[in-house]
Structure formats: C-alpha cells, structure tokens
Amino acid sequence: MNFLKWRERALESVFLICALTAIVGVLLVFIFVTIKGFPIFEKVGVLKFLFSLDWSPSDNQFGILTFIIGSFLVTAGALALGAPMAIMTAIFLSEIAPKRVQKLVRPAVELLAGIPSVVYGFFGILIIVPVVRTLFGGSGLGLLTGWIILAIMILPTIATISEDAIRAVPKSFREASFGMGATRWQTIWRVVLPAAKNGLIGATILGMGRAIGETMAVLMVLGNAPIIPKSLVGPVGALTSIIALNMSYASGDHQTALFGMGIVLFMISFFFVALIRFVSRKRS
Amino acid sequence: MAEAVHADAIQANMLSGDKIDVHDLDFYYGDFKALEDVTVGIKRNAITAFIGPSGCGKSTFLRSLNRMNDLIDGTRVEGTVLLDGKDIYAEDVDVVDLRRRVGMIFQQANPFPLSIYENIAYGPRIHGLRNKAELDTIVEDSLTKANLWKEVKDKLGQPGTDLSGGQQQRLCIARVLAVNPEVLLMDEPCSAIDPTSTQKIEDLMDKLKDNFTIVIVTHNMQQAARVSDYTAFFLAEDTNLPAKLIEYDMTDIVFTNPTDKRTENYITGRFG
C-alpha cells in the first residue's frame, strides 16, 4: 500500500473515531447511570418511585413525583413565556428588521446562548428574585423566578432555529401573498408561519429539552423544596436541581435514588429527541 | 421639472384613456440604473407582451407596475406610472389596495401549502370576507373563470401543491381572480410548464382579456405573437447600460414590419 492510500485510510479512521465518540459517550453514560440507579426500582418499585409524592430520604421514602411535576411545571411556564417571545424575535429578525438592526440584534441573541448558566443564576438572585419578592410576595425564590430565568435562557435556542425555519419558507409564497394585496402582518400570520410550522414546533421542543435539563440556574432560584408549589411564587424542586443539591452528601439508597432520577431525565430527553426527529421527518 | 412631467403625463393619459400610462420611468437597483426613459401606454382589455433578451429589465418593469419592487431593498423609481390616471407612486397611495387591483402571476406556480379551496379563499379572507356561502361562491367563480373548476370541483380539500404544474398555474390565476383585480401582470407564466398546459393558459388569457387588462412578460416570441395585441421590445445594449424600450406597437406590426433594426434582429433570432 502506498503512502497516499495509507494516509487516506488513516484520516478516515480518525474521523470515524471522532464520530463514534458521540455514540460511545451516550452509551457509557446510559449504562453507568442505569447500573447505579436501577437498584432503586427493585427496592422501591418502579410505580412507587415514579408516582409517590413522598420524598424523605432519612425515612427511606423515595417518591420522585414531586420533582417530575416540578420539572414539568418549571418547563411549561418557561416555554409559555419564552417560546412566543423567541418566535416573535425570529419573525422580527427574518421578516421585519432592516439589515442594520438585524446586525445588532442577532449577535445579542446568540450571545445569550453563550452566557454560563451560573451567571444566569446570579442574575436571577440579584435582579429577578428581589423584583418578584417585591411585586408578588414570598421569598422570591420559586416557580415564577425560575420561569423568567429559563425563558431568557431558552430564547436563543428557539429564536435561532425558528429564524432558520422562517427563512426557509420560499420567497414566492410571500410574493404571492403581497401580490394579492395582503399586508405584511397577514402574510406573516397566514402564510409564513403556517408554512414554517414544523420548524417552529421543532425549535420549541428543543427549547423544552434545554429547559428541562437546565440545572445550575434553576438550582439557584427555585428554592428546591420537596413540595408541589401552591402558588406562583412558592418554592419548587426540579429533578435536576435536587440531584445536584443532594449528590454531594447522599449515600446508600438515597444516592441510588438520585441516579434513578437521572434515568428518568435521560428518558425524558430521549423522548424529546425522538419527537424532534418525528416532526422534522414529517416536514420533508 | 418633475411636476411638469407629471402634468404632461396626466394630460396624455386623459387623451389616450389607457389603463396604465408610464412616462419617463427610470428604475434603479442601488446606484445601478436598470431601466431608462420608459414611456408606454397599456391598453384596456387587451394583452400586452413584453419581450426581449434575458436581463433586459422586462420583469423589473412589470414589477414596477404594482410596486412589487418595493419589497426589494435599495430599489428606486423615478417618473410616473398612472393607473386609471392616478399616480401609483404618489405618497397617499395604498399599496395594499394597488396590489389587489393589479394582481400578479409568477414564473414558478406558487400555490400556498394549503388546500385548493383555502388557496382561493385566501385573498377574499385577507380582505375581510368571513361569510362561508359567499366564499364558496367566489371559489367556484374564480376556478370557473380560470378553466379549472371541472378538474378540481371534487377535490377542493386536497393540497393545491398536489396538482400538476399547469393546473397549479391556473390555480394561481384563480387565486388572483378571487380578489377581483383589474389588471393581471404575468411574469413568464408558461416558462415552467408543458406545451399542452401552455395552450390552456393562452386560451384562458384570450378569454380573460374581455374583463381584464393583461400584461405578460415572455421569452417565447411565438407566444407573444400568438396571444398579444400589443408588443413592447426591451433591450439593454450592454450589461452595464440601462435597458430601454426600443419599440412598442401593435403586435402584428412589431412582428411583420418593425421600425427599429434591433427589433428585427431580435425577432428573427439573430440574438437573445
């Protein structure tokens, strides 16, 4: 085998190995978390683990439904606030803003994605928490604060992908609509958005995945109590924040239960990825 | 100066009674002058064809008749375009209403990703019509006028994009007819469809001209000769130079006895 051919082969292998790292990484994490967490299912029982509200590790009670509900509450609110804002940002960037304004706004949006989540947490504690406390009462640490922080955090994800989806709508649709005397708003609302619908849904699901997996920022602002919040400002625990908080000191079954929560989180993100695949397949 | 030109234009229009009267129109893409000194009167209830080689500005000119070029950044129009004697570039003009009156058909059939019915109902809906019975009537009327009703009446709920290319183009014509326009601008409507479908669209144009003023841009000179009553020949002598209207007359005259040598060269196929 001559040198050139050998080099081709070698390069191919390097690329292949890099690509395989992703698969191997996912598999290793999954296997590790499963091995560490699976015993809790046997010990407590899958149904009890998933559907019991009773979480008190010191009494050997490991029901995580509170946190599953907490995670979904936090995520749903963040989406309700963040997704419309993000999609409107995307519409503004792709359909309305003149080039000069785009050049200002787009990097700002992209920069939001680059801010470390601990900084969002700081921002939450220093700014949002006092504001929420003053306006709505309570300690300021809780559901509403989490929503606001997460809404800002998922904005760049949803906005950039939505913008791509909107830009992918053929120009001819817009021309046809304008050519019939539609206003810009009518064209956006009745032609562009419906045509970009699947992309927008995909973007939202991705934002949802990001919201449910976010840990550091929510840990700092949620209050992390093992109860279902009774009001907007009540403290709430999410799967991620409880795992992170408890992991440093947990041992025995308690630690196993935290890994069990990890499996649940893993399943949830698996589900989201599958959902995105399904939606984008429908598009093409 | 501009005011004087304007007044002249209005006076000339009163004399001619043309549907659209264009006077001394210059068109710019940024600093580049794409069209220079175009003066032309588009006759009512007739078909006017714009012909000329690629890049001669005929589509640009067509799109300046309903201000579709407004959607492109950095474009600018100088001169006067009168629709029924009113300047469409005047400040108080409602562009949305202008585009309803002067509808447009594009080169590539572009039905929305909606059902056949919804494609037609789109226009009336955006102009505020909600009544289902009225919408039904408009949908049937428009499709009938566009010679498409018989082919699609049993599948109005199916996606417009499932139709054949020629049917899609007639769907787009029906969609424009549904908002009751006065002028139809057609930008190479047949360049992407087969000869049989082209024939159908040409028949349709002939029928529609009783009620509409039609302007068509075409690369196909036989098509211009077949369907049009008037022909305008555009030419840019060089890619850096603005295009001009070289000759404009009744189609028979342009094709059999053109005044300008360049027109003759083009229609006899010596370039373009």
Side-chain angles (χ1 to χ4, degrees):
Chain A
M1 203 192 301
N2 66 30
F3 174 71
L4 280 179
K5 250 190 189 157
W6 183 84
R7 197 177 63 176
E8 285 291 301
R9 283 280 174 81
L11 276 175
E12 264 174 40
S13 321
V14 169
F15 284 109
L16 182 65
I17 289 166
C18 291
L20 284 180
T21 311
I23 299 177
V24 174
V26 169
L27 274 180
L28 279 181
V29 171
F30 183 69
I31 291 167
F32 175 74
V33 173
T34 308
I35 289 174
K36 294 282 276 183
F38 198 75
I40 200 72
F41 295 142
E42 291 174 326
K43 187 136 193 168
V44 184
V46 177
L47 288 182
K48 191 151 182 247
F49 183 68
L50 289 178
F51 299 113
S52 159
L53 289 169
D54 192 358
W55 171 263
S56 48
S58 46
D59 304 329
N60 275 328
Q61 290 303 321
F62 300 109
I64 63 165
L65 184 60
T66 316
F67 308 123
I68 296 179
I69 292 174
S71 272
F72 276 99
L73 274 180
V74 170
T75 302
L79 273 182
L81 282 180
M85 201 157 65
I87 290 174
M88 282 191 263
T89 306
I91 293 171
F92 176 76
L93 283 175
S94 56
E95 302 287 309
I96 297 168
K99 283 238 164 55
R100 266 181 305 129
V101 181
Q102 285 181 29
K103 276 187 187 148
L104 211 71
V105 177
R106 193 173 295 116
V109 171
E110 282 163 3
L111 211 63
L112 274 184
I115 297 174
S117 65
V118 66
V119 175
Y120 278 103
F122 266 139
F123 173 71
I125 288 175
L126 288 178
I127 312 280
I128 313 282
V129 168
V131 170
V132 168
R133 187 165 49 214
T134 320
L135 290 180
F136 301 96
S139 70
L141 296 171
L143 198 53
L144 182 61
T145 313
W147 286 354
I148 296 172
I149 290 293
L150 271 181
I152 302 172
M153 291 183 76
I154 61 175
L155 185 120
T157 312
I158 303 182
T160 33
I161 297 172
S162 298
E163 193 193 341
D164 289 344
I166 293 171
R167 283 190 190 280
V169 174
K171 202 173 115 217
S172 63
F173 289 175
R174 296 180 179 85
E175 289 195 322
S177 177
F178 285 126
M180 268 181 290
T183 61
R184 181 143 74 173
W185 168 243
Q186 289 168 328
T187 303
I188 291 171
W189 186 246
R190 289 167 178 261
V191 176
V192 177
L193 290 186
K197 191 179 67 196
N198 287 335
L200 301 181
I201 295 173
T204 308
I205 297 171
L206 209 67
M208 197 147 81
R210 175 142 164 67
I212 211 156
E214 173 50 37
T215 309
M216 187 50 80
V218 294
L219 179 149
M220 291 167 80
V221 301
L222 284 188
N224 303 303
I227 46 168
I228 296 171
K230 295 189 178 51
S231 74
L232 272 184
V233 290
V236 55
L239 288 167
T240 51
S241 62
I242 296 299
I243 294 176
L245 272 180
N246 286 202
M247 196 50 100
S248 55
Y249 65 86
S251 60
D253 287 345
H254 186 190
Q255 196 187 50
T256 314
L258 296 182
F259 278 103
M261 288 160 76
I263 299 176
V264 172
L265 267 178
F266 210 94
M267 291 301 173
I268 293 174
S269 39
F270 237 60
F271 173 72
F272 283 149
V273 172
L275 208 59
I276 295 171
R277 296 244 136 193
F278 177 72
V279 170
S280 52
R281 177 126 9 113
K282 236 174 51 184
R283 177 169 31 172
S284 55
Chain B
M1 167 68 191
E3 283 305 310
V5 170
H6 197 99
D8 286 353
I10 288 175
Q11 198 171 25
N13 176 257
M14 282 167 67
L15 290 173
S16 69
D18 289 338
K19 182 72 185 172
I20 301 176
D21 238 324
V22 182
H23 279 262
D24 298 330
L25 179 124
D26 295 340
F27 188 90
Y28 296 86
Y29 286 107
D31 292 333
F32 176 65
K33 195 188 224 183
L35 285 166
E36 186 174 74
D37 260 350
V38 179
T39 296
V40 65
I42 309 284
K43 305 285 178 223
R44 275 167 212 280
N45 298 67
I47 301 178
T48 304
F50 295 167
I51 60 169
S54 300
C56 70
K58 53 196 190 301
S59 285
T60 300
F61 182 60
L62 187 78
R63 294 166 63 99
S64 69
L65 299 181
N66 70 342
R67 295 185 58 174
M68 281 302 272
N69 289 320
D70 288 15
L71 302 174
I72 304 169
D73 281 344
T75 59
R76 189 159 53 86
V77 170
E78 282 173 12
T80 313
V81 180
L82 302 175
L83 174 67
D84 284 336
K86 295 252 165 53
D87 186 357
I88 65 166
Y89 283 94
E91 279 194 7
D92 60 341
V93 164
D94 178 359
V95 181
V96 165
D97 187 56
L98 168 72
R99 297 206 186 112
R100 185 199 59 74
R101 293 174 62 198
V102 185
M104 189 146 203
I105 311 293
F106 300 87
Q107 183 170 3
Q108 202 71 43
N110 53 2
F112 299 130
L114 303 169
S115 69
I116 294 172
Y117 183 95
E118 286 303 323
N119 261 285
I120 309 293
Y122 177 80
R125 277 192 215 275
I126 59 172
H127 293 106
L129 186 64
R130 294 275 174 280
N131 183 308
K132 174 85 171 95
E134 282 180 56
L135 280 174
D136 288 351
T137 316
I138 291 179
V139 169
E140 178 170 351
D141 273 4
S142 309
L143 285 168
T144 309
K145 280 187 205 153
N147 291 347
L148 190 61
W149 175 249
K150 282 190 194 130
E151 293 157 66
V152 301
K153 64 171 191 274
D154 298 322
K155 49 178 182 179
L156 293 176
Q158 288 178 21
T161 42
D162 283 1
L163 296 172
S164 75
Q167 287 175 321
Q168 286 190 22
Q169 196 58 292
R170 277 180 284 147
L171 178 66
C172 292
I173 294 175
R175 184 174 64 181
V176 169
L177 295 180
V179 296
N180 217 0
E182 298 156 32
V183 181
L184 295 177
L185 306 178
M186 302 181 148
D187 192 356
E188 299 190 43
C190 301
S191 66
I193 55 182
D194 63 88
T196 317
S197 305
T198 299
Q199 174 71 52
K200 284 188 179 152
I201 299 227
E202 289 179 6
D203 293 346
L204 175 59
M205 289 172 69
D206 199 53
K207 180 177 102 176
L208 289 175
K209 80 173 180 185
D210 294 340
N211 298 307
F212 303 91
T213 300
I214 299 178
V215 186
I216 176 173
V217 163
T218 178
H219 258 112
N220 180 334
M221 271 175 292
Q222 285 83 17
Q223 182 172 54
R226 278 194 305 264
V227 300
S228 73
D229 304 299
Y230 296 86
T231 297
F233 171 59
F234 289 82
L235 181 67
E237 303 264 20
D238 188 281
T239 46
N240 302 320
L241 292 174
K244 292 182 177 181
L245 175 63
I246 303 297
E247 186 154 359
Y248 173 57
D249 212 322
M250 293 179 61
T251 299
D252 289 346
I253 296 174
V254 172
F255 277 88
T256 54
N257 193 14
T259 356
D260 196 291
K261 192 72 190 155
R262 291 167 293 182
T263 314
E264 192 183 331
N265 286 343
Y266 181 70
I267 59 174
T268 51
R270 249 165 256 172
F271 70 92

